[in-house]
Structure formats: structure tokens, C-alpha cells
Amino acid sequence: MMKEDIEQIEALNEAFYHAFESGDLDKMSEVWIEDTDDRVAMCVHPGWAMLAGRSSVLRSWALFMANTTYIQFVLSDVRTMLSGDVAVVTCTEDVLVPAGTDELGFAAGVVVATNTFIRTESGWRLWLHHGSPVMQDEDEDEGEGGHEQ
């Protein structure tokens, strides 16, 4: 059962990123938990305060999707940990977005993320997403990877 759970959690984690990349709020809604008396959806976008409650969380994703012409995530350092009905996926998000209006091409950034999933009556759902930007020195050598651990 544990291997099957981990496969489901990792597939849901991928669905979360795919929903954002494709701007599909319906798919994003399917990933997140429903609020109950003892737990609510929570989200921390890089540089934002904590959002609590499914409606606030989904509203934030709708805002991002409405204002994002293109975004792509390349995930690395993905680790999945499972303990009973709670699972945590940590990863590094290499994020690619269009460059500024005065530039051609793309801009890149790095975010470390923690995604906490919980088993519900409807299956595994995302309970908490926390993204934190990784500050990068513009003079950093590309060959060094730019990721500290």
C-alpha cells in the first residue's frame, strides 16, 4: 500500500504543477482539500503572507493564472515522505517565465517548495503549499549549479 500511496502522491504533486502551467483552475481545484472544522487549505506563495482557507487559496491561483502568459516548472531534488495519512513532498522548482517587456526570451528563478498532502475520503489532496525563493547572485557561475543544500 505504501508504494501505491507514494505513486498517487507524486502523481498529484505533478498534477498540481501541470494545473498551474496550463492555467487550469478546475484541475487546480481538484488537487486541493476541502476545508473542514479541523483543517483548512493553506498556501504561502514566495514573498506572500500565509493564505488560509480553500477559497482564499484558489482565488490566489486564479489571480496568478489570469496574469501569467507562460510558466514552466522543472522540478529537481524531489523527495516524498509518508507518515500515516500525511505526506510531504519537498522539491526545488526551477521556474521559467517570459523575460521583461524590454527583453526577448525567458527569465528563470529558483524556489524551494514543501507540499503537504493528506488522505481524505476522496483520496489524497494538497493541504499546504509553501514556496520560498532562493536568492541567487547574478554573478554566480552556471556550472556551479546555484543550489546550496
Side-chain angles (χ1 to χ4, degrees):
M1 182 78 160
M2 187 169 156
K3 182 179 179 183
E4 183 179 307
D5 284 330
I6 288 174
E7 288 172 357
Q8 290 174 4
I9 293 157
E10 289 177 347
L12 190 59
N13 193 62
E14 289 176 20
F16 165 66
Y17 288 99
H18 180 71
F20 187 21
E21 287 176 337
S22 63
D24 190 333
L25 189 58
D26 290 335
K27 293 285 185 196
M28 182 64 78
S29 297
E30 292 173 12
V31 170
W32 283 90
I33 63 163
E34 297 287 339
D35 293 341
T36 64
D37 289 340
D38 60 346
R39 66 160 196 261
V40 297
M42 296 177 292
C43 184
V44 179
H45 297 292
W48 286 37
M50 171 74 75
L51 298 173
R54 180 179 166 86
S55 62
S56 294
V57 168
L58 291 177
R59 190 176 313 113
S60 73
W61 289 110
L63 259 170
F64 276 120
M65 291 174 186
N67 292 293
T68 302
T69 57
Y70 177 85
I71 192 164
Q72 181 181 0
F73 293 91
V74 177
L75 303 182
S76 60
D77 305 321
V78 179
R79 293 182 180 90
T80 304
M81 294 149 283
L82 177 62
S83 180
D85 290 338
V86 176
V88 176
V89 178
T90 59
C91 61
T92 299
E93 305 170 353
D94 289 292
V95 185
L96 189 64
V97 294
T101 55
D102 296 340
E103 303 173 45
L104 295 175
F106 293 92
V110 177
V111 174
V112 291
T114 302
N115 297 320
T116 303
F117 297 87
I118 189 165
R119 188 190 322 261
T120 71
E121 293 166 358
S122 304
W124 288 98
R125 295 292 181 264
L126 184 57
W127 183 7
L128 165 70
H129 168 74
H130 186 163
S132 180
V134 175
M135 303 307 290
Q136 294 182 301
D137 183 354
E138 290 182 24
D139 297 331
E140 229 172 50
D141 287 341
E142 294 290 323
E144 293 181 19
H147 301 274
E148 287 186 29
Q149 298 207 2

